[in-house]
Amino acid sequence: MAKCAICEKGAHFGNNVSHSHRKSPKMWKSNVKSVRVKTANGATKKMYVCTSCLKSGRVERA
C-alpha cells in the first residue's frame, strides 16, 4: 500500500463490527495519488502524495 511521501499517511487497520458484534477485519485506505512534484532544486519528481497535503499546499505540482 502506498504512503504519502510528505506526512507518511498510509492504510489503517481495524474491525468491522456487525449489529450482533461479530468482528471481521477491515482496512481504511488513505487517499494517496501519484503526482509529479517540483523539488527544491527545480527538478520534477514523481511521488505519492495524499490529497490533504495537496489541498493544504505543502506540495507544489510540476
Side-chain angles (χ1 to χ4, degrees):
M1 194 66 224
K3 267 191 177 178
C4 178
I6 308 303
C7 66
E8 300 293 321
K9 187 186 285 186
H12 295 198
F13 301 93
N15 287 319
N16 269 333
V17 181
S18 70
H19 182 68
S20 63
H21 269 303
R22 295 187 67 161
K23 294 174 178 75
S24 60
K26 178 173 175 66
M27 186 165 92
W28 287 272
K29 295 178 184 173
S30 57
N31 198 358
V32 177
K33 307 288 183 190
S34 179
V35 178
R36 289 168 60 88
V37 175
K38 283 186 187 175
T39 57
N41 60 359
T44 61
K45 187 178 179 183
K46 207 172 194 182
M47 56 176 56
Y48 289 108
V49 181
C50 68
T51 52
S52 58
C53 287
L54 286 171
K55 279 178 76 173
S56 66
R58 291 186 195 177
V59 176
E60 189 178 346
R61 283 187 138 165

